[in-house]
Every structure is written in structure tokens, then in C-alpha cells.
């Protein structure tokens, strides 16, 4: 049983190796994507200097500024950044098109970036597409999900196969043969990063698979040929949203708004309940608001949600490592290099083991006739 599991572990590792290297390295970049963007495009992503007691402009005024400055676009979503040097992000679409664009908006002055940019042309968007879909849309997402499942299997099987290695976790026999050295190194990296690798594999597979299932169900039930929005007719509702959300769920932190469409006249509000912990995502509590009547049609307080909903909500901070500030982000970034290290050391081990077996077989074949003759 152990031998067969070892072979399966090796074969799946070789099959998934290159893809996991790409996923791991891009994941490391994504951990610090905002810091990278701030360094490369500070004039686009960072707020202008403001006084400590500066007040954010109302969301309706920010929306009016975006629409008046870029009338060829309509707003699809708004991501808030509170107490942060980063600007808010407005997600917009050009009228008559389906591609998403990103626009940075200073919430204190309403200053915007020079022009909306396609989301897949941003640093974050480019790496996200490669990380989750290999630039192959839903087919790529399915493939990435399969590789994530493979990574999950490698983490679990590696833990089982190398359990005895805990006794000599930091033993690296440098003066031994290269096969033994790389074996020690492979086991050490695998054992140390098992918790994070298990999290990466499980959450990545869960997101990709559930997203695909949702897309299949949604496309089978709805017609998305018409995407033009009628939300300017609901403009008066925008100003009401923050107060309405706080009334519905006192202490609510509104972090993202998904705007209405003509065929779906609903504001979808995503945020956090009061007292949310470090392992809660920024979007775990939801409030749906009818854009015509202004009535709340649905509310999910994460504190009262089902157990699995609470568990799934932790996946985002656990996957990206942003729950512990800079320390965990650095650890998660380093862990993103582990698939590459495991792929390299595992491949070397596999082929050295194959050569060793070949040499043994050759030696046995050469010595057997002489033994027979002497007998």
C-alpha cells in the first residue's frame, strides 16, 4: 500500500509540477499585489495627502464624479478602502460592452485615475488570470481546480509518507549522495509547508469548482445578452445605502456594492458584521436592496449563518495570509515558492531513483550469467 501511494504521489507530482510552480509563484506576487501597484503607480492608486480628520465624500457624489468625467462608462461595482492610503476602486463597463474596467477614485477629493483600465491589464488582474485560469477562462479555471486538487492530494499523501521525518525534521545530509540530500530537502520543505499547502489546495479547489458550478447554473437559468444598466433611474437610492445598511445591521461595515442592471434592479451590499475577527473576510455579511422600492429583500448576518458558511468565509484571509498583517503575508509569500522547490527536488529524486534502479538492473543482468556458469 505504501509503495503504491508513493508511486501515485510521484506521478501526480510530475503531472502537476509545472502548473503548481506557476500557481505558487503567482500566488506569492498576489499576496503583495497592492504594495506592488502602489510602488509602480502611486499617482493612480494612492490618495492625495489629507488631514487626519478628513471626511470621505458621500458615495453618490463619488459616483456622479465618475459618470460625469467618463460618460461612456457605467458603474458596476464599488470597492471601499477605509483608513487606508489606497484609493477606492470603481469597477465600470463601457456602454454596450461586457468587459470590466478599473478606475481608482480618491474618496476624499473625488480625484480619479487618468482613465479606466481593463481589469486584465492591471498587475492584479494579469496575475489573477494566470493564477486562477491560465488565461483560458472557464476551461482554465477547471484545469486549475484539478491541479489544486492534485496539490491537496500531494500535501495529504506527503504528510502520510513522511511522518517519520518529524524525528529528523531539520536533518540535511549535505555530505551524502545528491539523491539523499534532495530527499532530505524535499521532505523538510514539504513537512514545514504542509499546513499552508493544504490551505492553498483546498481553498483554491473549492473556489474554482464552486464558481464553475455557479456559472453553469446561472447561464442555464438567465439570459445575459442584454447588459445595459438603468441604474441612473435609481440614483436617489445610492445615497441611502450606507444609512440603510447600518439600520439593517447596526455597526455594519459596507465594503463593496454591486450595482443594478435593467434585468436585475438590485443593489448587492457586501461587508462585515460588527466585531468581525481577523479570520472573517471583508464580504461575509450581505444585504440585498431593491433599487426601485428601496426595501431590503435579504440580509445575511454572518454571525447567524450556517456553520459551513462561516467556515467558507475564512477561506479568503487564510488563502491570502492577510489575517496577521505583514508577518503572515511574508510567510504566505515565502510559502508560495514551496511548490517550485518541491517540484524541482521531487523531479530530481524521481529520475535519480530511476537511474539507480536501472544501474541495479544492469548490474544484476551482467553478474547473473557468471554466477550460473560457476555453479
Amino acid at each position: 500500500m505504501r509503495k503504491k501511494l508513493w508511486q501515485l504521489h510521484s506521478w501526480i507530482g510530475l503531472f502537476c509540477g509545472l502548473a503548481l510552480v506557476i500557481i505558487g509563484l503567482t500566488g506569492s506576487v498576489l499576496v503583495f499585489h497592492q504594495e506592488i501597484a502602489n510602488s509602480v503607480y502611486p499617482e493612480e492608486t494612492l490618495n492625495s495627502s489629507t488631514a487626519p480628520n478628513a471626511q470621505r465624500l458621500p458615495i453618490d457624489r463619488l459616483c456622479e464624479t465618475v459618470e460625469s468625467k467618463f460618460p461612456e462608462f457605467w458603474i458596476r461595482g464599488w470597492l471601499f478602502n477605509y483608513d487606508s492610503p489606497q484609493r477606492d476602486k470603481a469597477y465600470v463597463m463601457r456602454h454596450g460592452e461586457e468587459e470590466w474596467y478599473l478606475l481608482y477614485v480618491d474618496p476624499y477629493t473625488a480625484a480619479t485615475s487618468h482613465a479606466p483600465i481593463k481589469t486584465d491589464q492591471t498587475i492584479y488582474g494579469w496575475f489573477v488570470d494566470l493564477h486562477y485560469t491560465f488565461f483560458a477562462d472557464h476551461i482554465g479555471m477547471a484545469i486549475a481546480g484539478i491541479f489544486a486538487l492534485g496539490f491537496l492530494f500531494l500535501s495529504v499523501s506527503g504528510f502520510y509518507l513522511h511522518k517519520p521525518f518529524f524525528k529528523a525534521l531539520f536533518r540535511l545530509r549535505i555530505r551524502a549522495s545528491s539523491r539523499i540530500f534532495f530527499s532530505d530537502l524535499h521532505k523538510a520543505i514539504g513537512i514545514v509547508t504542509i499546513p499552508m499547502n493544504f490551505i492553498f489546495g483546498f481553498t483554491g479547489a473549492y473556489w474554482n469548482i464552486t464558481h464553475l458550478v455557479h456559472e453553469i447554473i446561472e447561464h442555464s437559468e438567465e439570459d445575459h445578452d442584454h447588459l445595459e444598466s438603468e441604474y441612473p433611474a435609481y440614483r436617489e437610492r445610492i445615497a441611502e445605502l450606507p444609512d440603510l445598511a447600518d439600520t439593517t445591521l447596526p455597526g455594519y461595515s459596507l465594503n463593496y456594492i454591486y450595482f443594478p442592471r435593467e434585468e436585475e434592479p438590485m443593489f448587492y451590499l457586501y461587508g462585515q458584521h460588527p466585531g468581525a475577527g481577523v479570520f472573517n473576510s471583508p464580504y461575509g455579511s450581505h444585504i440585498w436592496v431593491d433599487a426601485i422600492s428601496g426595501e431590503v429583500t435579504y440580509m445575511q448576518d454572518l454571525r447567524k449563518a450556517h456553520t459551513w458558511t462561516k467556515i467558507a468565509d475564512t477561506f479568503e484571509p487564510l488563502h491570502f495570509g492577510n489575517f496577521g498583517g505583514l508577518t503572515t503575508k511574508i510567510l504566505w509569500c515565502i510559502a508560495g515558492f514551496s511548490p517550485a522547490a518541491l517540484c524541482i527536488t521531487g523531479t530530481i529524486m524521481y529520475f535519480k531513483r530511476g537511474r539507480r534502479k536501472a544501474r541495479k538492473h544492469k548490474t544484476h543482468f551482467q553478474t547473473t550469467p557468471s554466477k550460473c556458469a560457476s555453479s
Side-chain angles (χ1 to χ4, degrees):
M1 175 64 183
R2 187 180 180 86
K3 183 177 181 181
K4 290 182 179 179
L5 183 61
W6 182 268
Q7 290 178 334
L8 188 59
H9 181 90
S10 300
W11 293 337
I12 291 179
L14 290 172
F15 174 74
C16 298
L18 180 58
L20 294 180
V21 169
I22 295 173
I23 292 173
L25 296 181
T26 53
S28 292
V29 174
L30 288 172
V31 169
F32 287 103
H33 76 274
Q34 191 61 64
E35 289 80 359
I36 295 172
N38 292 345
S39 299
V40 179
Y41 308 110
E43 70 285 353
E44 299 280 339
T45 64
L46 297 178
N47 296 324
S48 55
S49 58
T50 56
N53 59 348
Q55 298 294 316
R56 292 176 56 94
L57 295 174
I59 181 61
D60 57 320
R61 181 175 170 184
L62 294 173
C63 291
E64 289 174 4
T65 301
V66 169
E67 289 182 326
S68 62
K69 189 173 182 179
F70 305 101
E72 68 274 25
F73 290 90
W74 55 291
I75 300 174
R76 298 300 301 115
W78 196 282
L79 182 66
F80 297 86
N81 273 314
Y82 303 106
D83 301 323
S84 169
Q86 281 84 40
R87 292 182 173 186
D88 284 4
K89 296 177 182 178
Y91 293 93
V92 299
M93 279 186 180
R94 194 183 297 274
H95 290 289
E97 296 183 2
E98 299 183 16
E99 288 189 282
W100 288 70
Y101 289 73
L102 173 63
L103 185 71
Y104 292 97
V105 184
D106 189 325
Y108 302 99
T109 65
T112 68
S113 47
H114 297 303
I117 181 174
K118 292 181 179 179
T119 53
D120 59 3
Q121 293 178 353
T122 63
I123 293 175
Y124 177 76
W126 192 89
F127 277 97
V128 163
D129 281 351
L130 179 56
H131 184 76
Y132 285 110
T133 71
F134 300 114
F135 301 126
D137 200 34
H138 290 118
I139 294 177
M141 183 172 288
I143 294 173
I146 293 172
F147 285 130
L149 288 174
F151 193 39
L152 182 60
F153 170 81
L154 291 172
S155 300
V156 175
S157 60
F159 175 80
Y160 175 80
L161 290 170
H162 302 312
K163 283 189 297 183
F165 190 74
F166 277 114
K167 298 177 182 179
L169 180 58
F170 299 104
R171 182 180 65 180
L172 290 176
R173 289 168 284 184
I174 300 176
R175 297 182 179 179
S177 66
S178 59
R179 181 182 64 83
I180 293 176
F181 169 74
F182 282 112
S183 176
D184 287 348
L185 184 60
H186 184 84
K187 294 172 185 176
I189 295 172
I191 291 296
V192 169
T193 59
I194 271 180
M196 288 171 283
N197 290 343
F198 181 86
I199 291 172
F200 296 153
F202 185 84
T203 55
Y206 174 82
W207 281 339
N208 279 33
I209 293 172
T210 54
H211 181 82
L212 286 171
V213 171
H214 174 74
E215 285 293 313
I216 293 172
I217 295 174
E218 186 179 70
H219 280 278
S220 65
E221 294 179 351
E222 299 181 8
D223 180 10
H224 288 271
D225 292 335
H226 184 61
L227 286 173
E228 196 63 33
S229 174
E230 291 289 339
Y231 109 75
Y234 319 136
R235 181 179 302 281
E236 66 275 10
R237 302 297 179 200
I238 300 175
E240 302 170 0
L241 294 177
D243 289 339
L244 180 61
D246 189 63
T247 301
T248 304
L249 185 57
Y252 184 71
S253 175
L254 176 57
N255 294 322
Y256 182 77
I257 302 176
Y258 184 81
F259 284 79
R261 298 178 301 189
E262 182 179 5
E263 67 275 21
E264 193 177 12
M266 191 76 66
F267 285 103
Y268 295 97
L269 313 184
Y270 298 86
Q272 284 184 320
H273 60 273
V278 295
F279 290 108
N280 290 130
S281 81
Y283 318 109
S285 293
H286 315 150
I287 301 174
W288 301 166
V289 181
D290 189 296
I292 299 174
S293 67
E295 295 180 357
V296 174
T297 61
Y298 172 78
M299 189 269 287
Q300 173 182 282
D301 184 343
L302 185 64
R303 294 169 296 184
K304 302 177 183 179
H306 296 298
T307 301
W308 176 250
T309 302
K310 295 178 181 179
I311 293 174
D313 182 68
T314 66
F315 289 173
E316 179 167 334
L318 287 174
H319 190 87
F320 293 104
N322 53 17
F323 59 89
L326 182 61
T327 300
T328 53
K329 291 180 73 172
I330 291 175
L331 289 176
W332 258 239
C333 180
I334 294 173
F337 290 89
S338 66
L342 291 170
C343 176
I344 293 172
T345 55
T347 301
I348 292 173
M349 288 167 54
Y350 180 84
F351 285 105
K352 282 188 174 294
R353 189 180 299 111
R355 291 177 183 174
R356 186 170 175 238
K357 288 182 178 180
R359 285 197 299 268
K360 283 185 176 181
H361 179 75
K362 183 178 180 181
T363 302
H364 176 75
F365 181 79
Q366 291 175 341
T367 57
T368 299
S370 60
K371 288 181 181 180
C372 293
S374 62
S375 60

